[in-house]
Amino acid sequence: MIKKRVLTGITTTGSPHLGNYAGAIKQAVDLSQLKNQDSFYFLADYHALVKNKDPKQIENSCLEIAATWLALGLNPERTFFYRQSDIPEILELNWILSSVTAKGLMNRAHAYKAATDDNQVKENRDSDKGINMSLFSYPILMAADILMFKATHVPVGQDQKQHMEMVRDIAQKFNHHYGDIFIIPKPVISEESSILPGLDGRKMSKSYQNTIPLLLPSKKLRKLVMKIKTNSLEPGEPKSTEDCALFDIYKGVASKKEALAFKKKLEEGMAWGEAKEELFTYIDQLFAKPREDYLRLTQEPMHLQKLLTEGADKAREISLPYIKEIKEAVGIKSLS
Ligand code: TRP
């Protein structure tokens, strides 16, 4: 039996939001507390380049996200916490995996398909307009991140389910051809880690600009919560929690019991204003301590850098010998 290895990454674009928290961070931090497994958490800064070409934003966002994970309870001594770009072996593996991945498989990836479909809808447009190679081969880099460290379990949001199937496909295809080199990883998508809706009711996503950033000062947080889209039902009228962004957001951060109580109040006619106030107070209190820690950490970039360098050194103790083994398996090895 191999020891359970949990690995997950967060793309360093923009500031992390509640959707990231409910979809991945919360689960990952909880898992990292367990003793009988190793955990790997990394900042996917090469993935960030796919969509973001602003160097300053890339830089800031890496700092912000590192500070966020630490503020939310990630213990760097008990985990492998590193930056993807500090592990050059990942990029070597990326190329090797590209050579066993069918182009047709990548054609079917949701993110790429959505972009080409969008182009096709607009008349007279090349379906690949504005799409770079890194968007197209994004799942291969993700496969390299995961396979490089022999991860057995990968906590991800629902939206990454298809990518995870592709990662498994790629690993199996490699193993089939070159022998048993890779561990086939399992996605861990908890029921609660549903896709959180954003302020406008669509999926909470940086690209829709409808997010509630994590660790906002109270005043700003309150303002955003008040903007969550509801309907015109009056106070006292029963409110359904089906397709209700406000409820879904509450459910994403609260315990099951608390969510049930909230549901009951809405069904009994709680006013939207009151419900928003309650959601705001909940989030505000939940993140009170992390918010303080976050502010302290973002003011100590040297400390963060040191932690990440140590994390990368620790991770490379694994990736360096392993990439050698992988290269040997494909025939790239010493001539003597
Ligand atoms: N694609 C993931 C996301 O956007 C981030 C990511 C990159 C990742 N590499 C990974 C997640 C490896 C899990 C494992 O959320």
Side-chain angles (χ1 to χ4, degrees), residues 7-11 42 44 47 138 142 145-146 154-156 160 163:
L7 174 145
T8 199
I10 181 163
T11 310
F42 70 95
H47 275 107
Y138 183 108
M142 200 163 148
D145 293 330
I146 297 170
V154 182
V156 281
Q160 298 295 317
H163 286 156

Side-chain angles (χ1 to χ4, degrees), residues 5 185 192 249 254 281:
R5 264 202 192 164
E192 293 98 75
I249 295 173
T281 308

Side-chain angles (χ1 to χ4, degrees), residues 74-102:
L74 191 80
N75 178 347
E77 275 165 28
R78 285 262 294 275
T79 53
F80 290 79
F81 184 54
Y82 54 92
R83 259 170 112 156
Q84 184 184 35
S85 61
D86 281 336
I87 318 288
E89 294 74 39
I90 293 176
L91 286 191
E92 294 187 72
L93 181 55
N94 179 66
W95 184 258
I96 295 173
L97 296 177
S98 295
S99 309
V100 297
T101 305

